[in-house]
Amino acid sequence: MIKSGPCSFPPPGASPVRTVETEVLIIGSGPAGASAALALSTYGVPNIVATRYGRLAETPRAHITNQRTMEVLRDLGVEQTVVAQATPQHLMGNTTFCTSLAGEELGRVRSWGNDPLVQAAHELASPTRMCDMPQHLMEPVLVDAAVARGTSLRFETEYLSHTQDADGVTATVRDRLRGDTYEIRAKYLIGADGGRSKVAEDAGLPMGGQMGVAGSINIVFDADLSKYTAHRPSTLYWVLAPGATVGGIGAGLVRNVRPWNEWMIVWGYDVTAGAPDLTTEYAESVVRQLVGDDDIPVTIRSSSAWTVNEMYAETYSNGRVFCAGDATHRHPPSNGLGSNTSIQDAYNLAWKLKLVLDGTAAPKLLDTYTAERAPVGKQIVTRANKSIGETAPIFEALDGLSPQTPEQLWANIAARKNATEAAAKQRQALREAIAFKVYEFNAHGVDLNQRYTSEAIVPDGSQDPGFARDPELYHQPSSRPGAKLPHAWITSGTRTLSTLDTVGGGRFTLVTGIGGEDWVRAADAQDLGIATVVIGPGQEYEDPYGDWARLSEISDAGALLVRPDGYVAFRHAAASEDAERLLSAALRRILGHA
């Protein structure tokens, strides 16, 4: 046997190695697999990523990158690399509804945090900014950083099967270049092999929902569309055209990949009839229909058919096998939740694997992965599919859902300009229908309001206050156990930093203030390398704006124990002479020793 590392393969002429060893084997190099590898390598856990492909993603696919994901990438040290390559937030948000890019505009929604009020909420919620980072650019950032920190990456390596026992998992893989098979022995296996996951199938993960509910086509192309888009910069342009209600998206979609020359169209097809022949001529005809200008040069890069799914795993693991990303939640791209949830799945799992592998935590800790992430997966599958249905009222306002000729649809669209009572009602209905798409394009609460309930969260006995406003649209910070640590700007000397910058790094952190000396001593006594953060006048960290005092929901002498993923695991509102016992008991529960 050999262990993973830069020289895993035998020298030329030697017999092929039949078994390779590592701590964690990851199948798949997409957002979930790549971020799992990056987190594990950052924490010093040896891992191998195996992908059946000979390259990373070639097409844009996932792209919206929300604030929570940017917080994860910030902690993993690649935030600025992503920011440097991504389309910034201010160029994302004039989501436009039109008859074609060159045709009539029907309305716009200020999206992705670009509404002034929503922008303020984004500023208050996080030190990060959302951006548009296409998957073919994101994957190299994650994989390059993972490999630089120790991940062993194997292209052209196809997962075939696995068996597991009390001590580990043995996966059989096939080298697609050599044609031979060999085994990789790992303590744990992560299946991040996408929406048709063989790992999830082999592990027997129970699924809810259904696959193939509608058909869609992606067409990637190059064209200079700046004259139709630069004045209304957006990630998404929605085209209401004849045939646009067919398929899973609800309208024809022209998606910006890179301003303003690289694009991807999403167009539907009747899944019962099967995908059309994706010739270059067919792809160009769809592009021309949605752009509305036959004279602009267009270069088709690729086209592919896919199905809209509404499926989620009810449990994310079986023994030593864990699944993440599209292997566990399969849904349309509405709301831009796919890669975000995938990266956050991996981030939740990685620190738990690290602590179990080094003996700090009991294997019981790993049970909390399903408990915490499965409800999130179900929520985003439901939300994404619901967003598709919320496109229908736009067509209804134009009487565009009933069978009709293109000429009838254009006449309905033109009728909204008339000075009649019927046209006024039509205009009002159209405005309201477009505005309601805020649930897809500005669902700030869906991004940030995740609350965990598991054995890795210690309730503090407080009553759940619920949400003061719509929890899908509005983020509500909380320090209650199970919530993400609230963001507040604090200072340390001449530095200004977020409270989120004081936690993470693969370790637990205890946050307290003046009078919290007993909590600091209790943390130091745990022999777990718990970081301590004391916030207050004259302390290492100060709260000059008073924001932390307002958001912390504890007294200066109270304490928050924050997990490596930034979630509050334990809260005590005030000082306690019994701090060491309370903290020790909380940690025993969190780490599965209780």
Side-chain angles (χ1 to χ4, degrees):
M1 294 184 181
I2 61 174
K3 298 197 175 184
S4 63
C7 299
S8 295
F9 284 118
S15 297
V17 171
R18 294 302 177 189
T19 303
V20 175
E21 285 189 334
T22 190
E23 294 287 279
V24 180
L25 171 62
I26 302 163
I27 304 299
S29 58
S35 52
L38 174 56
L40 289 169
S41 288
T42 301
Y43 303 153
V45 178
N47 64 91
I48 293 174
V49 173
T51 173
R52 68 188 308 271
Y53 302 105
R55 57 192 175 274
L56 300 178
E58 285 188 301
T59 56
R61 288 185 268 181
H63 60 118
I64 299 295
T65 308
N66 66 33
Q67 283 184 295
R68 178 54 189 157
T69 297
M70 293 302 291
E71 290 172 356
V72 171
L73 301 179
R74 184 184 184 96
D75 182 44
L76 296 177
V78 296
E79 177 195 17
Q80 291 308 311
T81 307
V82 170
V83 168
Q85 298 184 49
T87 298
Q89 186 175 13
H90 71 276
L91 295 180
M92 295 171 61
N94 277 283
T95 298
T96 302
F97 293 84
C98 55
T99 60
S100 70
L101 292 189
E104 281 197 67
E105 182 176 308
L106 304 173
R108 304 181 197 176
V109 178
R110 295 183 181 95
S111 307
W112 312 121
N114 281 286
D115 178 279
L117 293 177
V118 180
Q119 185 177 39
H122 277 236
E123 294 272 352
L124 292 169
S126 175
T128 68
R129 296 291 170 267
M130 72 181 309
C131 61
D132 189 299
M133 184 66 168
Q135 188 170 337
H136 69 302
L137 300 179
M138 177 70 86
E139 282 186 18
V141 170
L142 300 175
V143 170
D144 287 353
V147 170
R149 299 176 196 180
T151 293
S152 178
L153 174 63
R154 298 195 170 193
F155 288 117
E156 301 283 4
T157 302
E158 181 180 6
Y159 163 85
L160 299 178
S161 63
H162 74 263
T163 60
Q164 59 176 309
D165 52 49
D167 300 316
V169 182
T170 301
T172 301
V173 300
R174 182 171 71 91
D175 187 301
R176 300 181 72 201
L177 295 178
R178 295 191 310 234
D180 64 320
T181 63
Y182 63 98
E183 294 179 342
I184 301 178
R185 176 71 174 172
K187 300 287 180 59
Y188 293 97
L189 170 64
I190 298 176
D193 49 337
R196 300 189 182 278
S197 171
K198 187 166 177 9
V199 177
E201 180 182 350
D202 291 349
L205 300 190
M207 297 280 180
Q210 59 181 324
M211 296 280 280
V213 297
S216 288
I217 298 165
N218 286 354
I219 301 170
V220 181
F221 68 100
D222 294 342
D224 181 0
L225 301 181
S226 55
K227 70 177 181 178
Y228 299 124
T229 56
H231 65 287
R232 49 184 179 182
S234 182
T235 286
L236 304 174
Y237 299 84
W238 294 82
V239 179
L240 278 69
T245 54
V246 177
I249 301 303
L253 174 62
V254 183
R255 177 189 137 194
N256 176 241
V257 177
R258 303 294 283 175
W260 303 108
N261 298 287
E262 298 180 34
W263 301 88
M264 187 174 84
I265 274 177
V266 184
W267 185 246
Y269 69 89
D270 183 353
V271 73
T272 62
D277 187 9
L278 300 180
T279 63
T280 299
E281 292 73 21
Y282 173 83
E284 187 169 330
S285 71
V286 175
V287 170
R288 294 294 182 193
Q289 179 180 355
L290 271 60
V291 172
D293 185 337
D294 291 341
D295 296 325
I296 287 181
V298 170
T299 301
I300 304 297
R301 295 297 181 189
S302 66
S303 56
S304 58
W306 52 281
T307 58
V308 176
N309 303 314
E310 187 173 0
M311 182 169 282
Y312 50 86
E314 296 169 357
T315 181
Y316 281 20
S317 66
N318 181 352
R320 290 176 173 267
V321 179
F322 297 82
C323 287
D326 288 355
T328 54
H329 35 81
R330 305 163 190 178
H331 53 87
S334 314
N335 288 78
L337 298 168
S339 64
N340 291 288
T341 309
S342 300
I343 290 170
Q344 293 164 37
D345 285 346
Y347 188 58
N348 180 286
L349 178 60
W351 70 269
K352 297 173 181 177
L353 284 171
K354 187 263 185 185
L355 294 183
V356 171
L357 285 165
D358 70 14
T360 300
K364 182 180 176 183
L365 173 63
L366 299 175
D367 294 340
T368 67
Y369 173 59
T370 286
E372 294 178 354
R373 295 304 299 173
V376 175
K378 182 177 180 180
Q379 178 199 18
I380 64 108
V381 169
T382 302
R383 177 66 257 172
N385 279 278
K386 189 176 180 181
S387 290
I388 287 179
E390 290 168 354
T391 305
I394 298 175
F395 283 91
E396 290 172 357
L398 301 169
D399 196 25
L401 289 177
S402 57
Q404 57 186 276
T405 65
E407 289 73 22
Q408 287 174 313
L409 179 60
W410 304 141
N412 292 342
I413 290 172
R416 79 191 195 285
K417 304 173 188 176
N418 296 335
T420 64
E421 183 178 348
K425 290 181 179 178
Q426 183 187 35
R427 292 191 295 270
Q428 177 66 18
L430 183 60
R431 285 193 299 269
E432 291 176 355
I434 291 175
F436 196 70
K437 293 298 286 181
V438 70
Y439 278 90
E440 179 173 356
F441 305 129
N442 273 321
H444 201 209
V446 174
D447 295 344
L448 293 180
N449 279 343
Q450 298 168 10
R451 301 285 195 264
Y452 292 157
T453 302
S454 76
E455 288 299 307
I457 300 295
V458 181
D460 67 349
S462 64
Q463 183 175 355
D464 185 349
F467 292 92
R469 297 189 292 175
D470 189 320
E472 289 194 316
L473 292 183
Y474 302 103
H475 168 53
Q476 181 171 308
S478 174
S479 74
R480 197 165 180 268
K484 182 176 68 70
L485 183 74
H487 154 68
W489 291 114
I490 56 177
T491 59
S492 179
T494 58
R495 293 188 303 141
T496 298
L497 67 163
S498 170
T499 47
L500 301 186
D501 295 328
T502 68
V503 302
R507 78 248 192 272
F508 285 88
T509 304
L510 184 124
V511 181
T512 187
I514 293 175
E517 294 83 0
D518 286 340
W519 292 112
V520 173
R521 284 191 289 270
D524 291 342
Q526 300 306 311
D527 194 31
L528 289 174
I530 298 175
T532 54
V533 174
V534 182
I535 303 175
Q539 308 304 308
E540 181 181 0
Y541 300 97
E542 299 198 36
D543 181 24
Y545 303 105
D547 291 341
W548 178 244
R550 176 176 54 85
L551 291 169
S552 69
E553 299 176 326
I554 58 173
S555 71
D556 288 343
L560 303 174
L561 180 67
V562 184
R563 307 187 324 185
D565 60 355
Y567 273 74
V568 177
F570 165 83
R571 178 173 74 171
H572 198 280
S576 174
E577 295 180 356
D578 208 13
E580 185 171 344
R581 183 188 65 81
L582 292 172
L583 190 60
S584 295
L587 284 164
R588 283 196 302 274
R589 170 176 168 151
I590 294 163
L591 298 175
H593 296 309

